[in-house]
Amino acid sequence: MSRHNGIRVAIIGSRGYPYVYSGYETFVKELSERLVQKGVHVKVYCHKKLFESRPKSVNGIELVYIPTIETKSLSQLIHSFLSMMHACMGKTDVILAVNAANGPWGLIARIFRKPTCINVDGMEWLRPKWKGLGSKYFHFSAWLATKWYDRIITDAEEMRKVYLEEFTKDSTVIAYGANIRYPQNPSLVTELGLQPQSYYLVVGRLIPDNNADLLLEGFIAANSTKKLVIVGDVPYKDRYAQSIKEKAASNIIFLGYITNSEILAELYHHCFAYLHGHEFGGTNPTMLKAMAYGCAILALDTRFNREMLSDGRYGLFFEKDHQSIARLMQQVEAHEALIIQLRSISREGLTGKYNWDHITDAYLALFTELIAVK
């Protein structure tokens, strides 16, 4: 058996396993499955309401279904609080939390003397959807995470710098991962009425900090001969999202959520270029997919996007201005050799730090270290 056999890890803060909805759940899936293969006992806490079938384990991963109060702003916090209590009172060697919103619950683990680490993700307190009290809570919670958890995990070197600047707290950098893929079924794209290389692709929730409105305005200003395909939505009524969707036209196509991973992958593979407007995250899962799937990438110029794209080696940047987007679109359409070059090297940007096996080893080394200290 592996020398790691016997380590018991509890993961809290996601919706659960194998439910995949966002980057957190994908992270939990990729990490948990690999940890189990290395002889680690993994327990994942799941939102009970999301699972009609509730097996005690799947793929060797123990599953615990915890109820919560279903409110938009509090359901995750209450679920994580109850999950942390359960994990602390059970046979757990180390607890991994995801999402800086769970910062306060580190105190519970400290009282129970359980080793902890937390993956804090991005700068939630700056996101427009968390105005006022929500923004203050996320900032306070991130600060508490730096006080109560044994180790902070950031997924980008630039996010490490943010925590040093904002909270004077160092962190362990372990990136998010992606799996390299190549085109397999182009007909999945043509069945949607699209031709390969005939469209720009945007993937992400229709929320202000992903800047879909800006990308849309830039596309319109560019007078492009291509189409704009937007994958994503929000699961609630929202004025911002609705105002964007009202711009639908023959050359502006909204596909909503695409739950079929094969269709989504082929959309990435066959786009003319992938547009990335995400602003406040660290290592962004959708852009990692674009790299892993061989896309030419046009991205908002942020410190995080520059880190991922090696300061422009693996993508081109635009400013937060629709005219800047329009100019870049016009440039690449006039010089398609730029796009072809970016596509040819995109996957090379996925250095070892973005490899799930490497990431798993890094987490396992951290868990082992935390257990030894306690």
Side-chain angles (χ1 to χ4, degrees), residues 166-186:
E166 196 77 21
F167 307 111
T168 326
K169 178 71 173 183
D170 206 353
S171 58
T172 298
V173 179
I174 308 177
Y176 192 88
N179 297 310
I180 287 176
R181 188 187 192 277
Y182 292 88
Q184 297 173 14
N185 190 358

Side-chain angles (χ1 to χ4, degrees), residues 237-276:
K237 286 187 177 181
D238 179 77
R239 185 178 299 174
Y240 173 83
Q242 188 58 39
S243 68
I244 295 171
K245 289 186 283 187
E246 286 172 356
K247 303 281 178 62
S250 60
N251 65 337
I252 300 172
I253 301 164
F254 292 88
L255 295 179
Y257 287 119
I258 292 183
T259 56
N260 186 314
S261 60
E262 299 298 311
I263 294 175
L264 183 57
E266 294 298 330
L267 281 167
Y268 273 105
H269 289 314
H270 299 288
C271 69
F272 175 72
Y274 166 77
L275 302 177
H276 189 76

Side-chain angles (χ1 to χ4, degrees), residues 10-41:
I11 303 178
I12 73 166
S14 75
R15 293 174 179 83
Y17 175 92
Y19 186 87
V20 173
Y21 173 81
S22 70
Y24 279 138
E25 284 76 48
T26 301
F27 164 70
V28 169
K29 177 182 187 299
E30 298 285 352
L31 178 65
S32 298
E33 291 173 358
R34 286 169 171 80
L35 286 173
V36 167
Q37 290 170 6
K38 292 178 179 290
V40 177
H41 179 90

Side-chain angles (χ1 to χ4, degrees), residues 182-253:
Y182 292 88
Q184 297 173 14
N185 190 358
S187 65
L188 293 176
V189 169
T190 55
E191 286 169 7
L192 293 171
L194 300 167
Q195 295 302 315
Q197 321 311 329
S198 70
Y199 59 92
Y200 292 94
L201 179 66
V202 176
V203 179
R205 288 173 296 164
L206 298 183
I207 56 177
D209 42 302
N210 289 349
N211 290 302
D213 56 339
L214 199 67
L215 298 174
L216 183 58
E217 290 172 20
F219 173 77
I220 293 170
N223 291 315
S224 174
T225 58
K226 309 289 184 184
K227 294 182 178 181
L228 180 67
V229 174
I230 299 177
V231 175
D233 205 335
V234 288
Y236 45 82
K237 286 187 177 181
D238 179 77
R239 185 178 299 174
Y240 173 83
Q242 188 58 39
S243 68
I244 295 171
K245 289 186 283 187
E246 286 172 356
K247 303 281 178 62
S250 60
N251 65 337
I252 300 172
I253 301 164

Side-chain angles (χ1 to χ4, degrees), residues 42-98:
V42 179
K43 180 190 297 181
V44 175
Y45 285 84
C46 309
H47 277 250
K48 188 174 182 179
K49 187 177 179 181
L50 297 175
F51 295 82
E52 291 183 11
S53 172
R54 297 173 188 138
K56 291 184 178 179
S57 69
V58 175
N59 295 325
I61 299 164
E62 182 184 352
L63 303 175
V64 181
Y65 303 92
I66 301 289
T68 188
I69 298 171
E70 296 298 334
T71 69
K72 180 181 173 183
S73 56
L74 294 177
S75 63
Q76 181 61 60
L77 280 177
I78 294 167
H79 184 269
S80 294
F81 168 75
L82 295 173
S83 298
M84 181 66 87
M85 291 294 296
H86 188 282
C88 286
M89 290 188 286
K91 293 182 178 179
T92 305
D93 295 317
V94 62
I95 298 168
L96 167 63
V98 297

Side-chain angles (χ1 to χ4, degrees), residues 115-132:
T116 56
C117 51
I118 182 169
N119 183 315
V120 292
D121 196 36
M123 298 184 292
E124 290 285 339
W125 59 89
L126 291 181
R127 291 185 165 154
K129 69 174 182 174
W130 300 122
K131 291 178 181 176

